[in-house]
Amino acid sequence: MLRRQSTGAAEIWLVQPADRGADVAAWAARLQNEPGVLYVHPNERVHVLAAESSAADDPELAKQSYLKQIGAQEAWKTVRQQTDLTIAIVDTGVDLDHPDLKQNLVPGTNLVDPNKPPDDDNGHGTSVAGVIAADGNNGLGVSGILWEAKLMPIKALDSHGDGTERDLGEAILYAVRHGARIVVLSVGLNRYSPYMLDIVNYAESKGVLLIAAAGNDGLIQGSKSAVKYPAAYPTVLGVGGVKADNTPDPRSNPGSEIDLAAPWHVYTTAMGGKYKQEEGTSMAAPQVAAAAALVWARYPSLKPYQVRELLRQTAKDIGPPGFDTKSGYGLLQIDQAVTMSAKADRYEPNGSRTSAKPIPAGKQITAMLSGGGDEDWFTIDTPYDGTITLDFEELAPEGGAMPPVRLSHYAGDKLQATSDSKLASRVVDFKVKKGKQTFRIGYMNTDTDQKLPYLLTASFAMAPDSYELNDKSYEAYTLQPHSQTITGSFHQTADRDWYAVTFTQGGTLSLRVTTNTVRIDPALAIQRAGQSLTVYDEEREGMPEQSPELTVSPGKYYIRIHNAISPEASPTVGTYTLQMDYVPKYADPNEPNDKYYEALMTTSGPEYVGVIGSASDVDWFQIRLASSSVVDMKLFNIPAGKKMKLEAYDKKQKLVFSMQTGGDGSLLATNKVMQPGVYYIKLTASSAFDKQYYRFTIKADPLVAGFRDISSHWSRDAVVEMSKLGVVSGTGPYTFEPDRPITRAEAVAMAIKAYKPIVFGMPSDIRFKDLDYDHWAYGAIAKAVQEGWIKGFPDGTFRPEQPVTRAEMAMLIGYADGVLPIPPVAGPFKDVGRAHWAAPMLNALKLKGVISGTGDQAYEPGKKATRAEFTTILYRVYRQ
C-alpha cells in the first residue's frame, strides 16, 4: 500500500504489486476477489484540457452576480452546454433577432397569432430566454446558464402578458409533441384546473419536465398568498425567489408546493438586442430549467422525477432545517447537481414512528423500501379536518413482480386505518382531523429482500363545513335574524353555500365576505323570497366582497356564497367568513321627499322602499326619460287595511295618470307610453304605517319601431327596417320578443309579407289535420305551400306552432327569395356535411354572404331559430 484516503463511505488505497515484474492484469483480478474489496481501478494519467476556459468572456457577466449564487460558474468547469434536448419557453415569445439568443433558438410557434412567428412583443419571454441560454463566451452581452442550447419559443401570451388557460395547455402539448424535454412556465394563476392537471400528467408520462414560477404576490396578498398553478401541481417543479443574501424574498409566494428557490434579481436579455435588470419568480424558474438541462447533459438516462429529486437533494438549505414553505428544499446549487448522485431515499432514517419525516402536501416525492424489514414513516400537518389522499406508485423494474405494500394511518400512537396495495399504483383516502398525521409504508411480506423505489403524492381536501348540506336554496341553512359571523368552506366542485334568514321587522342589512386564501374569489348574493338574486362580485381573488347597506322588510331572505374563481370551481383548501350586520329599523331611506322639487331621482330597474310616516306624508319620486319610452310601475307590499295612490305628473305638474292599490295591496301600471322629459310620481296612503315598507319599482324601456325590447338588441337594425316594410309585427303590447323561438306559422307569415307571391286564382285548398281555415296564418301557409317554399309532415300535419330550426329557416328564406341551392364540394360548416339535406341551400346562402355560422365555424342546423335570427337573415337576403 502506497497511500490511503479516508472518506465517509469507504477507504481508498493506492497499491501496486510487490513484485515489479508481476502480471499487473492477473494481480488486479486476484485483488478484486479479495473480501472487502469493492473495486480495483487503474491510476491513469490525466492532462489539462487547455483548449477552452470555463470562464466566459461576455462583457456584462459581472452584472450577473446570481450565477455565482447558484453555483453556475463552478458548474461550467464540468458542463456548460446542452444541445441534445430542447427547452420550450411558454411565454410572450422571444426576440428572434437578439444577437445573444438567435444562435440558440429552434423553431417554435405563435398561439396568439398563428400567422406570425413567435416574436416577443412584451419582453418577458426574451428575459426568460436570456437567463437560460444567452449565448455564452461569445464576447457579447451576458451569458446564460447554458452557453449553447436549443430553445423553442412558444408564444402563448399577448403583448400585455395575458393569455388563456386553454392556450397555456395547448402550449405545453405543442412542446411535448414537438420533442421538448423541459418546459418553462413563468406564468401562473390561482385557479386549480383538472384540464391543466391532465396536461401536466401527460407531459410527465412522456418524460417531459415542467418547471414553473411560484408567483410574486407574497407582500400584496400576505397570509392569503399561495403558490400559483401550474407550479402547484404535484409533478411541476415550483420555484420561489430569494434575495442576494440567500433569504427568501417576501414577495415570493410561499406554500407547501415550493420545490426550490433561485435568485429573484437577474441581469438578462431584453427586446431590441438590449439587456436589463429583471426580477421575480419568473426569472427564478428559468434558472432551475437550465440546471435541469445540465443535469440531463451529465446524466441523460434520468427520468423527470429523478432530475427533480437530484435538484432537491443538492439544494442549499437556507431556511429551517429540511423542507420549508418559503424556499422548499433550498437554494438551487447547479455545481452540486452536476457532480453528485442522488440518494435512493433522502428520508432515511425514518424506520419508526418517532423518526418519521415530514413531507409536503401536494407534491410528488420519491423514496425506497430496501427490504422486508424496512418501513418508511412520514408526517403531514393538516390545517383542517378533511381527507388525505395518498397516491402510491411502485417503481419496480420492468417485468418484475410487484410486492404487496400496506399503507397505514396513525393519529398520535393509535392506528386509524390501513389499506393494502397489491397493484403497481394505488390511490387511498384517509379521513383525518386537524393536526399532525403519521403514515407508515411497508411490505406486507416482511421476508422479502427486494428493494422497491416508489413515488408518493399526498394531497389534502377539506371536510364539509358545519352548515352542509346547503347546496341549494331549498336546502339553505337557517340563520337567526341578528348580527353574526359564519365561517364556511368549499369542499366540492362548484360548491354553493346557501343561508336563509327570516326578518320579523324591517331594518338595514350589510353583508361582507372575506377569505383566507387567494385561491378563493368570494362572490356574495342576496335574494328576497320570490324575487331575483342580486350578486356582488366586483373584486379579484382573495379580496373581500361587500354589499351596500340594504333595506330589508319583514320576510324571508336567502344569502348565497360561492367561489367565483371559476364557474365550476374545484374544491379549495381555505375558508371564507360571512359577516352579517343587521340593524332593525323602519326609517324611510328616501326622506326628505315630501315636495315634488325634493323628489328622489330614480332609475329603471332598482326597487325603492319607504313608509308613510304620518297621514299627511307624501313621497315624491322623479324619472327622466331621454327618449320615447314604455313605462311600467309597480307599487306593492302595502300593509293589510291600507290603500295607496299613485299619481304621475309631467314637468308642468299636469296629471298624466292616476291609480290606486287594490285588495291585494298592490297596483301595476303597465305599458304607459311616455314622451321624453321629466316626470314626477306622487305616492300617498289612506293612513300612516311604519311597521312595513312599501315597495316601488319603475321599469322604462326605450320605444324603437314600436317595440320596447329591441333598443339594445343586436338585431335592432334589421327589426326596424323590416318593421317599416310591414314584414314584422309585435307579439304583444310593444313587444317583439327577439330571443323567442319563431314558430313555423310566424316564419311563413313573415316570408309572405316580404315577397308577396302572386298566386293566380284562389290558393288551392290546403288541408292539414291541425290547420283550420280560421287559423290566423292559414292564407299565408296556403300560399307558401303552393309556392313550394315549405311542406307539411308525413303524418298530414303542418304543426304551425312548432319552432323552426336554423336549417329550416335557411331553406324557407332561400326558396322565398328564389335562391338556387348549390351542392357543396365539402360541408359548408363543420357541423353540416355535404350530405346534409339543407347543405346545398346553406352553401348558396353562405356564398351570398348572408349567413356565416357561429364563431367556431359551426351552424347548429338543428337549433331553434329565434325571431331575431329569422328577421335578420330575411332582411339580409331581401335587401340583396
Side-chain angles (χ1 to χ4, degrees), residues 481-533:
H482 57 74
S483 296
Q484 57 197 289
T485 300
I486 298 147
T487 300
S489 63
F490 303 118
H491 74 287
Q492 61 186 350
T493 300
D495 200 1
R496 264 71 171 158
D497 287 352
W498 286 85
Y499 303 92
V501 56
T502 301
F503 297 103
T504 57
Q505 66 181 94
T508 59
L509 176 68
S510 293
L511 301 173
R512 179 179 173 85
V513 181
T514 58
T515 179
N516 65 357
T517 173
V518 74
R519 291 178 180 172
I520 292 178
D521 177 14
L524 165 68
I526 186 168
Q527 173 186 32
R528 181 179 169 87
Q531 297 183 13
S532 59
L533 196 68

Side-chain angles (χ1 to χ4, degrees), residues 508-512 546-550 579-583:
T508 59
L509 176 68
S510 293
L511 301 173
R512 179 179 173 85
Q546 174 77 54
S547 77
E549 186 176 83
L550 304 169
Q579 178 66 45
M580 188 176 91
D581 293 319
Y582 168 62
V583 179

Side-chain angles (χ1 to χ4, degrees), residues 126-149:
T126 298
S127 295
V128 169
V131 172
I132 299 172
D135 200 356
N137 201 41
N138 64 347
L140 178 69
V142 298
S143 175
I145 295 170
L146 302 176
W147 290 10
E148 296 177 34

Side-chain angles (χ1 to χ4, degrees), residues 296-608:
W296 253 321
R298 288 280 288 156
Y299 313 113
S301 64
L302 294 184
K303 300 289 197 309
Y305 76 85
Q306 293 172 315
V307 175
R308 284 195 296 270
E309 186 59 19
L310 178 56
L311 291 173
R312 290 167 176 167
Q313 288 192 23
T314 55
K316 181 179 182 179
D317 200 343
I318 58 173
F323 177 88
D324 67 83
T325 58
K326 292 184 178 180
S327 62
Y329 292 93
L331 174 64
L332 175 68
Q333 297 292 282
I334 304 178
D335 55 333
Q336 300 297 312
V338 298
T339 56
M340 294 178 61
S341 298
K343 297 178 183 178
D345 189 343
R346 68 173 298 146
Y347 300 99
E348 292 289 348
N350 65 335
S352 65
R353 186 166 57 247
T354 56
S355 61
K357 295 295 194 298
I359 59 174
K363 282 291 178 173
Q364 187 185 82
I365 67 163
T366 180
M368 186 172 72
L369 292 173
S370 57
D374 190 18
E375 298 177 353
D376 286 350
W377 289 77
F378 301 102
T379 62
I380 302 173
D381 283 325
T382 53
Y384 308 96
D385 294 352
T387 301
I388 286 182
T389 299
L390 296 183
D391 188 338
F392 177 83
E393 181 181 353
E394 297 180 1
L395 296 174
E398 186 172 346
M402 299 296 179
V405 172
R406 175 164 293 169
L407 289 78
S408 305
H409 169 224
Y410 289 78
D413 58 357
K414 184 176 181 182
L415 177 65
Q416 301 294 313
T418 63
S419 179
D420 296 336
S421 175
K422 299 181 180 180
L423 301 174
S425 180
R426 180 75 185 272
V427 177
V428 185
D429 291 336
F430 294 101
K431 299 294 183 183
V432 298
K433 295 292 185 180
K434 178 181 178 180
K436 186 176 180 179
Q437 313 298 321
T438 306
F439 295 90
R440 172 192 173 275
I441 299 175
Y443 285 119
M444 293 175 63
N445 178 11
T446 58
D447 293 330
T448 183
D449 59 357
Q450 181 176 349
K451 292 184 178 181
L452 180 67
Y454 61 87
L455 300 175
L456 181 68
T457 304
S459 56
F460 174 72
M462 293 186 67
D465 59 48
S466 58
Y467 302 100
E468 293 283 350
L469 293 167
N470 63 339
D471 302 310
K472 306 291 183 183
S473 59
Y474 54 82
E475 298 172 328
Y477 185 89
T478 301
L479 302 175
Q480 295 304 309
H482 57 74
S483 296
Q484 57 197 289
T485 300
I486 298 147
T487 300
S489 63
F490 303 118
H491 74 287
Q492 61 186 350
T493 300
D495 200 1
R496 264 71 171 158
D497 287 352
W498 286 85
Y499 303 92
V501 56
T502 301
F503 297 103
T504 57
Q505 66 181 94
T508 59
L509 176 68
S510 293
L511 301 173
R512 179 179 173 85
V513 181
T514 58
T515 179
N516 65 357
T517 173
V518 74
R519 291 178 180 172
I520 292 178
D521 177 14
L524 165 68
I526 186 168
Q527 173 186 32
R528 181 179 169 87
Q531 297 183 13
S532 59
L533 196 68
T534 301
V535 180
Y536 304 98
D537 182 20
E538 302 295 329
E539 303 297 334
R540 56 188 176 85
E541 297 102 321
M543 300 301 290
E545 292 292 343
Q546 174 77 54
S547 77
E549 186 176 83
L550 304 169
T551 301
V552 295
S553 59
K556 190 173 187 178
Y557 287 76
Y558 294 96
I559 300 168
R560 187 192 71 188
I561 313 295
H562 79 282
N563 186 2
I565 202 167
S566 169
E568 296 292 316
S570 298
T572 307
V573 178
T575 61
Y576 67 83
T577 299
L578 170 63
Q579 178 66 45
M580 188 176 91
D581 293 319
Y582 168 62
V583 179
K585 61 179 180 180
Y586 292 101
D588 192 325
N590 307 314
E591 294 289 353
N593 64 339
D594 298 327
K595 309 294 183 183
Y596 81 89
Y597 48 80
E598 298 174 326
L600 179 72
M601 177 67 73
T602 65
T603 57
S604 177
E607 182 180 86
Y608 300 91

